[in-house]
Structure formats: C-alpha cells, structure tokens
C-alpha cells in the first residue's frame, strides 16, 4: 500500500517537474488541515457516541434495589454474553431515580430502551444473581432475560474504518511533510531527480527577451541563431546541415551570460530547463549522474527544448590525470554521464544545451570537442558604447533623473565595469540620492556610487593620527606626481586621503580602454604605483606597511612581464602562460631551477629600476610634490585641475578634464565639507 502511494507521487513528479515546487507549497497545508480534521471528527465521534448515546452504566446494587425489586424492569438483554442491557418500563420512566437520564433520551430513545447496562463477569454468575434477586417474585413479575449476539456497528466502524483511516492519514501527513520542499525527506525521496527548473509556455516567468539585453551584439547574433534552429529546424536540415548540440557562454562574472540564456528562453518559446552545475552535486555517490540522466530524460520528452546549465565548471572541470587521486570521483562520474548524454541523442533531436562559465580554460577538453559544446560564445566586458547602452537600460526604471546625467558620461567613467556592476551603480545612485533627501538622481550621485563600488564604503570616522595622515597624503601625492609626468601612465582623475574600504587613501585613475599594452606603458604604470612608497622613503625617511597593495600589484605585473609576455631580454621571448589549463594537477614548474632563479632576478630588477626611476622623478619635483601633499592634507581630495595647477599640463596632454568638458567638476565635493572629527581633536593647533 505504501509503495503504491509513493509510486503515484513519484510519477507525478516526473511528469510535472515545473509545477513541483508550487504544488508542494500548497499540498502539505491542505493535507495538514485534512488530517487534523479527520482526527478531530473521529475523536468527536467517539466522544459523542460513547457519552451521549446508548445506555448508562449502572451498578448491580442500585439496579437490584431500585429497579429490579421495584418492578420497573421490563426485560434484560445480555449482549454477546458480556453486557446486560436493561429495559425500563416506559410508564415508570418518570420516577425520580430515572431523572438522571438526559432529557433527549427520555423523550425518544429511552422510551424503547435499553436505558441502563452493566457488565457481567460470566453468564453463570449473572444468572445466579438474577435468580436470587427475583426469589420473591411471582412468575409474572419475573423479568425476561434474553441472550443476543449483536455486532456492534460502532465498534466495527472504529476498528475497520476509522483507525486504518487515521493511520493512513497520519502516515500520509508525515510522508508529505518529509517529501515537501523543505523536509529532509524530500531530498531523500527525490535525490536522483534533476533539480532543473522548467520554464515553458505555461509558466510565463521569463519576461526577458533580446530587447532587454543591451550590448553583447555579437553574442546576440550567435545565440539568436540557436533560437532559430529551434524555431524552424527544417531551414537548416534541408540543406543537410546538422543542428549543433550545445553552446558554451564564456565570459567574466556579471557580463550577462545568464541574462542571455534567459532571453533565449523568452524568445524561443520552447521549454527551457534551467539548472546550475552545482545542483548536480550531492554528497551521495551516483546522484549527480542520475540527475543528469533524469534531466535529459525530461528534456527529450519535451523536445524541442533548451537545457541551460549555469556555472558548468562545477562539474565540467578537467578530470584529473591520476585516477587514484580520489575525492573527485563523484564529479567525474557526473561529467562522464553528461558527456554520454550529449552524445547519446541524435543531433537533430531538438535538445540544445547552453552552458555558462567564466572559466572556459579549466573545462574538460572532452566537453569542448566538436559534437558537444561545438560553439563558444564569448561574452566580454562591455566597451564604451555597450556600457552606454547598458546604462540606458538601467536608467529607464529610475523615475527622476537630473538633467546632468548622460549615459555617455557615465559610460566613460566606468571602464572595466560589467553589466551587473552598472546595474549596481544605477541602483546605488538612486539610494544615495534618496539618502540625501533629493528629489532627483543627479550626476554627483552616480559619481559617488561609482566610487563606492570601486573603492568600498567611505570611512570618515576612522581614527588616524596626524603623523599617519601626513604619510598617507605624501604617499598619494607621490602616486599623483609620478603618474602625472609619466607619458604612458594612466590619466589621474583624483587623489584622496579619505579612507574607503580597506584603503586609507587612493589615487583614482581612468584607465584607457585598450586591447594591447606596450612595455613602456607597463613600466610607466609600475613606476607610478611605486611612486607612493618612493615618496614615503624620500620625504620621510621611513617606509610603511601601507604600500602592501601597491607592491602586490607591481610584483604581479613584473612577474607577468618576465614569465608570460616575454618582456625581459634575459629570459627572452618565452612564455610560461598556460591557456589550456590542462596542467593544473601537475605541481612542478615547467622550467628549470636556473630559469626560476633568472625569472626572480629579472622581476626584481624590473621593480628596482622602476622604483629608482620613481625616486629620481620625485627628487626632481620635490617642491611640487610637497605642495601637493600639503594641499591634500588640507583639502583631502584633489582633482586633476588642482594637479595641473601645481604640476603644469601633462606631457602627452592627456588629462581627463581637458578631454571631456563634462568632467569639469565644481569642487569641493561633499568629502571636504565633512572632515573627520579625529583630526581636530588630536591636533588642536
Ligand atoms: C591596514 N590598509 O589594513 C590599512 C587600513 C599608503 C596608507 N592596515 O596604496 O590603504 O594600509 O595609494 C595587514 C597589514 C592592507 C593588512 C598591512 C592590508 C596593509 C593604499 C594596505 C594607502 N594607495 N594600504 C594605496 C593602503 C593599508 C594594507 C594590510 C596591510 C596607504 C594604501 C593598505
Ligand atoms: Zn599607494
């Protein structure tokens, strides 16, 4: 019996995975009410029947003295040799002693009786007692005693119906509870089922279409083709072409891979199974593979359709070379099953698999070979124009925008931002404007939002001593000075000594958007980064831990120059970069000890040279640098205008404000108005 019910439930789940979630949300509630109702009704019934209906129990003595000897008894029926039921003569019922029979019974039931009963030990003893009690009675007065066999319907019902029903109810209740979406048992019962969410015509949850995807023009073209494959496959197959099985969306986080997939779902009007790679993974062995199987089974039933696996790297990571490494066995089984399933159906079966990852390089090669994820669609960080479009999309929901907000300007201010970052910027800007009790979201709010997202929260109340403050100011002034006069360094927008995130101060650059970086650009950049520590050393004679982030950046860059980009003469045009990612499990380095030493030395030499250069530049510009540092201490934020005033125009003329009229800001910004309290307290003079 239990198996049947479970089977039914399971098959229901198989057929309707999409509504699974919803129905499970509602059903248990219904069930709880139902079961509770059942219990309540049966309890009530028991209570009602046993107390209100049927005869009242009476003690032998009372019966003998007050009823039998008084001649009130009409007859006695012994039921099943257990229970003696007493029928009182109707005409005697209005006697005082019968007034405890309740009124309802006096009127109807009790007229016929039995009104009383008592339980007898044995038939023999009962007969003897009755006989003794009626000793003095005449023959006519003697009471009839009849024996009846009676099936107690009530007991029968209780025994055969209500208790099993109750049991089933309780059992069902527990079962549902366990199988529900939150119950531990739910996972147990459905462990091998795929966790895919399905979106199709009935579930109008996906409202994204290609119109909502800004930027990503090339990716859209590619993916639209896939939609077309599904919509009219004949167009492609009649020429003998085969419809591809899958496409891999590759790109950094936040660039809209999932959005693109959702747009496909919204556009294709075919069922769309969505699932994350990590959904396959469970601690039980074989579950991942079973889920893959189930997913494909469901998909094939609904073909044509799309399967979308987000974060496929969770299962698609390259399999280890050494099979005894263990630990990853389960993941490998899942991957193997996926590979098999992708090969298992014919090319034209109408199931197209989309997968998204931000690390295509670590995926197993077998997954990427022709016939599986044939095509890779690269979803890159948006460029200037794409960011502009994305801003336009995200500015739409903002109700009131200041007249000074232009998508072009915002796009220029956000190099390297992903679509998700831009969404974050617009949202943050609206929140900042609301915090300032403004009626409009203005340019300044957007700039503050960008700063916040890049640098983290401003910490104006951080306790910083004057000595530290000065070190920070000179450090930042060092960055500013060096980057200003170096031809290839990134243009500086502003420097600040307002703590933000984990940084105590920062120099803000607006990196040029370029595809290639020359050696000169790298060297100049490193020089500018080292300008901070150089200034500390030169003008304080002390260096601090503050340069940690700077040194980290520089070291990585120098190391990359030597070992990846072939930019050191001693190492030569050699690169140890591994774009295939296939050597992840081999620990040793792909070069000899001597080369390792040479790389280290070259890296150090590059950094040393850049540092010396930075120091020389700063020595030459000591006056300007110190002026900058003092001004920074005073104003806390300096913009490129201030820098130009002190340092003169930049050598290549590339200053952000001269390039872009709209970047001219009306200093001072809010930061200056609210100076940290600490400074005043600690330095009253
Ligand atoms: C800290 N951060 O964590 C402070 C808050 C010149 C003042 N101690 O280069 O902010 O000092 O141009 C353990 C030990 C980060 C953890 C030392 C984490 C040092 C940023 C570096 C400004 N701007 N550096 C910069 C900065 C810092 C850091 C650490 C740590 C500096 C500098 C961090
Ligand atoms: Zn620094």
């Amino acid at each position: 019996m239990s198996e049947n019910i479970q089977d039914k439930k399971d098959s229901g789940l198989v057929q309707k995975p999409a509504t699974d979630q919803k129905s499970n949300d509602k059903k248990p509630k219904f069930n709880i009410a139902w079961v509770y109702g059942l219990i309540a009704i049966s309890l009530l019934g028991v209570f009602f029947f046993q107390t209100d209906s049927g005869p009242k129990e009476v003690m032998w003595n009372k019966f003998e003295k007050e009823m039998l000897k008084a001649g009130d008894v009409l007859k006695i029926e012994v039921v099943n040799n257990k229970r003696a039921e007493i029928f009182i003569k109707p005409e005697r019922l209005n006697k005082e002693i019968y007034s405890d029979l309740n009124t309802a019974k006096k009127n109807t039931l009790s007229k016929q009786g039995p009104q009383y009963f008592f339980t007898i030990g044995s038939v023999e003893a009962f007969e003897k007692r009755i006989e003794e009690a009626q000793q003095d009675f005449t023959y006519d007065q003697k009471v009839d005693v009849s024996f009846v066999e009676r099936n107690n319907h009530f007991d029968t019902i209780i025994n055969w119906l209500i208790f099993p029903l109750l049991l089933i109810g309780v059992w069902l209740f527990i079962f549902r509870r366990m199988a529900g979406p939150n119950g531990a048992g739910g996972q147990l019962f459905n462990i091998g089922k795929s966790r895919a969410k399905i979106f199709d015509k009935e579930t109008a949850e996906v409202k994204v279409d290609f119109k909502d995807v800004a930027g990503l023009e090339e990716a859209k073209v590619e993916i639209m083709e896939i939609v077309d494959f599904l919509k009219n496959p004949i167009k492609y197959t009649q020429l003998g072409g085969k419809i591809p099985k899958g496409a891999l969306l590759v790109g950094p986080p936040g660039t809209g891979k999932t959005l693109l997939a959702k747009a496909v779902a919204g556009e294709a009007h075919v069922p769309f199974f969505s699932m994350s790679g990590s959904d396959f993974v469970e601690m039980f062995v074989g579950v991942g593979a079973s889920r893959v199987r189930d997913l494909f089974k469901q998909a094939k039933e609904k073909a044509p359709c799309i399967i979308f696996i987000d974060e496929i790297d969770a299962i698609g990571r390259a399999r280890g070379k050494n099979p005894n490494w263990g630990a990853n066995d389960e993941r490998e089984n899942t991957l193997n099953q996926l590979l098999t399933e992708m090969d298992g159906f014919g090319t034209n079966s109408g199931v197209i698999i989309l997968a998204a990852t931000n690390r295509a390089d670590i995926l197993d090669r077998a997954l990427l070979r022709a016939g599986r994820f044939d095509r890779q669609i690269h979803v890159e960080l948006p460029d200037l124009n794409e960011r502009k479009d994305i801003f336009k999309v995200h500015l739409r929901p903002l109700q009131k925008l200041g007249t000074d907000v232009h998508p072009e300007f915002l796009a220029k201010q956000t190099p390297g931002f992903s679509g998700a970052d831009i969404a974050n910027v617009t949202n943050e800007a609206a929140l900042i404007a609301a915090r300032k009790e403004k009626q409009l979201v203005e340019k300044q709010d957007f700039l503050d939002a960008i700063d916040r997202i890049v640098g983290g929260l401003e910490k104006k109340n951080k306790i910083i001593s004057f000595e530290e403050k000065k070190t920070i100011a000179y450090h930042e002034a060092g960055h500013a000075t060096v980057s200003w006069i170096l031809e290839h360094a990134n243009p500086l927008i502003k420097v600040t000594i307002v703590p933000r995130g984990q940084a105590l101060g920062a120099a803000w650059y607006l990196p040029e958007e370029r595809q290639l970086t020359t050696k000169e650009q790298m060297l100049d950049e490193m020089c500018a980064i080292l300008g901070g520590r150089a200034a500390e050393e030169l003008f304080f004679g002390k260096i601090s831990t503050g340069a940690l982030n700077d040194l980290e950046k520089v070291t990585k860059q120098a190391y990359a120059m030597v070992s990846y980009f072939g930019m050191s003469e001693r190492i030569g045009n050699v690169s140890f970069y591994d774009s295939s990612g296939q050597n992840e499990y081999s620990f040793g380095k792909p070069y000899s000890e001597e080369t390792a030493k040479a790389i280290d030395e070259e890296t150090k030499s590059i950094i040393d040279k850049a540092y010396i250069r930075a120091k020389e530049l700063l020595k030459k510009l000591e006056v300007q640098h110190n002026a900058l540092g003092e001004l920074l201490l005073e104003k806390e934020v300096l913009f490129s205008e201030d820098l130009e005033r002190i340092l003169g125009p930049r050598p290549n003329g590339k200053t952000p404000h001269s390039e872009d009229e709209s970047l001219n800001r009306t200093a001072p910004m809010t930061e200056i108005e609210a100076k940290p309290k600490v400074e005043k307290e600690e330095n009253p003079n």
Side-chain angles (χ1 to χ4, degrees):
M1 186 166 187
S2 62
E3 276 174 340
N4 275 340
I5 288 173
Q6 190 178 339
D7 282 349
K8 270 178 206 158
K9 188 185 159 47
D10 282 355
S11 60
L13 278 179
V14 172
Q15 282 160 6
K16 274 187 155 185
T19 50
D20 180 26
Q21 203 83 21
K22 275 189 194 163
S23 59
N24 266 347
D25 285 346
K26 282 174 194 164
K27 266 182 191 164
K29 271 182 197 161
F30 166 75
N31 258 310
I32 291 166
W34 193 70
V35 171
Y36 282 157
L38 197 81
I39 293 170
I41 286 170
S42 35
L43 280 180
L44 255 174
V46 169
F47 191 73
F48 177 79
F49 276 109
Q50 288 204 332
T51 53
D52 281 8
S53 73
K56 273 186 79 151
E57 185 158 20
V58 69
M59 291 297 117
W60 169 263
N61 279 340
K62 188 180 176 192
F63 161 72
E64 186 185 3
K65 282 201 190 86
E66 295 173 14
M67 299 174 193
L68 188 62
K69 294 215 164 142
D72 292 351
V73 178
L74 180 70
K75 61 172 180 174
I76 297 173
E77 259 181 32
V78 179
V79 182
N80 301 345
N81 291 346
K82 268 187 197 147
R83 198 170 125 120
E85 291 186 345
I86 300 134
F87 293 74
I88 304 290
K89 290 175 185 158
E91 66 271 20
R92 303 289 176 95
L93 271 175
N94 39 22
K95 273 173 74 177
E96 182 66 17
I97 53 157
Y98 303 120
S99 61
D100 59 339
L101 291 172
N102 70 41
T103 41
K105 242 175 271 167
K106 228 183 242 171
N107 297 335
T108 57
L109 251 177
S110 51
K111 287 253 165 68
Q112 302 138 29
Q115 288 84 357
Y116 295 96
F117 79 93
F118 55 88
T119 315
I120 60 177
S122 72
V123 179
E124 290 78 33
F126 167 73
E127 282 187 318
K128 220 175 132 199
R129 267 180 131 175
I130 283 283
E131 201 52 49
E132 279 168 12
Q134 299 191 98
Q135 258 175 359
D136 311 332
F137 281 25
T138 64
Y139 179 79
D140 284 345
Q141 281 171 320
K142 278 190 181 169
V143 174
D144 285 335
V145 177
S146 57
F147 291 84
V148 291
E149 282 288 321
R150 195 196 294 157
N151 270 341
N152 189 330
H153 295 295
F154 178 67
D155 279 357
T156 321
I157 287 168
I158 290 279
N159 289 337
W160 292 102
L161 231 88
I162 297 196
F163 280 117
L165 266 180
L166 252 168
L167 270 174
I168 290 170
V170 168
W171 180 80
L172 263 176
F173 170 69
I174 291 167
F175 179 82
R176 290 289 171 123
R177 271 286 287 261
M178 282 171 74
N182 309 319
Q187 280 163 25
L188 268 182
F189 288 124
N190 302 318
I191 197 114
K193 296 279 176 292
S194 97
R195 297 271 178 85
K197 255 202 233 159
I198 175 169
F199 304 97
D200 51 19
K201 287 148 258 160
E202 298 105 60
T203 55
E205 276 177 66
V206 183
K207 292 197 183 75
V208 184
D209 58 26
F210 284 137
K211 281 198 293 298
D212 302 311
V213 184
L216 306 174
E217 290 310 323
E218 296 89 351
K220 262 202 276 191
V221 171
E222 280 282 306
I223 212 141
M224 267 184 208
E225 200 179 36
I226 287 177
V227 173
D228 209 36
F229 286 145
L230 289 165
K231 278 185 172 167
N232 30 29
I234 301 132
K235 179 172 142 194
Y236 297 89
T237 48
Q238 71 180 359
L239 293 173
K242 278 181 190 154
I243 287 174
K245 280 179 187 169
L248 194 64
L249 297 164
V250 190
T255 42
K257 298 181 291 290
T258 312
L259 180 74
L260 210 53
K262 270 193 195 153
V264 171
E267 202 88 357
H269 305 295
V270 294
F272 183 88
F273 292 84
S274 171
M275 182 159 193
S276 166
S278 56
D279 287 345
F280 290 109
V281 188
E282 193 76 57
M283 61 180 179
F284 305 107
V285 174
V287 166
S290 140
R291 284 186 182 157
V292 172
R293 238 173 283 131
D294 187 56
L295 174 67
F296 278 84
K297 198 181 120 218
Q298 287 182 36
K300 272 182 259 180
E301 280 164 12
K302 292 229 171 191
C305 68
I306 295 172
I307 295 177
F308 175 59
I309 305 172
D310 211 349
E311 317 282 354
I312 198 175
D313 35 319
I315 48 166
R317 205 177 287 264
R319 288 164 290 186
K321 293 211 172 67
N322 188 344
N324 295 331
W325 262 97
N328 284 322
D329 255 355
E330 173 56 11
R331 215 203 61 230
E332 287 182 13
N333 288 342
T334 312
L335 176 57
N336 284 334
Q337 186 65 42
L338 183 65
L339 296 176
T340 324
E341 289 288 351
M342 287 191 77
D343 272 346
F345 54 86
T347 316
N348 294 333
S349 77
V351 180
I352 287 188
I353 306 158
L354 293 179
T357 177
N358 43 36
R359 308 260 341 243
D361 55 329
I362 60 160
L363 289 184
D364 200 281
R365 297 262 302 271
L367 208 51
L368 302 177
R369 72 127 218 248
R372 294 203 178 108
F373 290 108
D374 319 83
R375 26 183 81 204
Q376 290 192 17
I377 300 173
H378 285 270
V379 184
E380 261 141 49
L381 284 175
D383 63 20
L384 188 71
N385 288 325
E386 288 171 333
R387 285 201 304 275
K388 194 173 98 188
D389 294 339
I390 297 171
F391 263 114
K392 279 181 189 160
V393 169
H394 288 296
L395 288 176
R396 244 186 268 151
L398 294 191
Q399 296 300 317
K400 288 164 193 156
L401 281 178
T403 46
D404 54 358
V405 179
H406 304 295
E408 299 87 358
F409 170 75
L410 294 174
K412 266 184 198 150
Q413 294 297 304
T414 49
F417 276 46
S418 69
D421 292 331
I422 290 175
N424 202 1
V425 166
T426 53
N427 187 50
E428 198 71 45
L431 295 182
I432 288 171
R435 198 179 306 147
K436 292 186 199 156
E437 317 266 341
K438 291 213 261 183
Q439 299 303 312
L440 295 171
V441 190
E442 288 172 312
K443 185 169 106 179
Q444 192 54 55
D445 305 319
F446 281 94
L447 290 172
D448 290 352
I450 293 169
D451 285 2
R452 219 208 117 157
I453 283 157
V454 175
L457 259 181
E458 232 173 47
K459 290 175 184 151
K460 286 182 183 157
N461 299 330
K462 204 168 200 152
I463 298 173
I464 301 165
S465 72
F466 183 74
E467 188 75 8
E468 284 173 332
K469 200 106 210 160
K470 199 165 173 191
T471 315
I472 300 166
Y474 274 58
H475 176 108
E476 301 309 337
H479 286 307
T481 313
V482 176
S483 69
W484 190 263
I485 55 164
L486 283 177
E487 197 183 334
H488 303 295
N490 285 323
L492 202 84
I493 335 171
K494 65 169 183 182
V495 270
T496 125
I497 54 167
V498 180
R500 207 182 248 288
Q502 55 122 273
L504 297 165
W508 295 73
Y509 305 94
L510 197 59
E512 221 181 310
E513 280 173 73
R514 53 179 179 234
Q515 310 301 318
L516 289 170
T517 308
T518 62
K519 189 176 172 183
E520 283 70 39
Q521 285 167 336
M522 287 184 102
L523 288 174
D524 277 8
E525 219 161 277
M526 286 167 63
C527 199
I529 297 173
L530 287 167
R533 162 146 298 186
E536 284 182 57
E537 194 198 313
L538 269 181
F539 306 123
F540 281 101
K542 284 183 250 169
I543 51 173
S544 74
T545 56
L548 174 72
N549 306 124
D550 293 344
L551 296 184
E552 186 189 347
K553 252 185 271 169
V554 163
T555 310
K556 280 191 181 138
Q557 200 156 344
Y559 184 81
M561 283 174 77
V562 176
S563 59
Y564 294 161
F565 301 122
M567 284 180 178
S568 114
E569 258 150 50
R570 196 166 141 204
I571 305 296
N573 291 330
V574 172
S575 175
F576 301 109
Y577 186 70
D578 179 23
S579 60
S580 69
Q582 295 299 297
N583 294 324
E584 208 186 347
Y585 295 96
S586 60
F587 287 101
K589 288 195 161 64
Y591 40 76
S592 70
E593 281 305 312
E594 290 86 69
T595 317
K597 218 170 151 209
I599 290 174
D600 293 346
E601 281 164 12
E602 277 300 282
T603 308
K604 180 174 157 30
S605 138
I606 288 175
I607 296 172
D608 284 351
K609 273 186 210 149
Y611 189 60
I612 290 166
R613 203 166 137 225
K615 277 204 286 191
E616 275 165 3
L617 285 170
L618 281 173
K619 249 182 253 168
K620 258 193 272 171
L621 293 162
E622 182 171 356
V623 184
Q624 287 95 323
H625 171 273
N626 289 355
L628 259 184
E630 293 303 324
L631 193 63
L632 192 55
L633 260 181
E634 185 200 325
K635 296 219 306 190
E636 299 209 311
V637 190
L638 293 183
F639 295 100
S640 47
E641 294 89 338
D642 306 298
L643 287 158
E644 190 162 37
R645 220 179 319 121
I646 293 174
L647 290 159
R650 276 198 72 183
N652 61 0
K654 276 189 190 168
T655 50
H657 66 276
S658 63
E659 262 184 338
D660 185 349
E661 268 304 305
S662 60
L663 248 170
N664 270 315
R665 285 174 202 169
T666 45
M669 285 166 76
T670 43
E671 286 157 4
I672 299 160
E673 285 151 20
K675 281 190 185 179
K677 297 166 208 152
V678 203
E679 205 187 85
K680 285 173 201 156
E681 281 164 14
E682 284 187 0
N683 301 287
N685 45 326

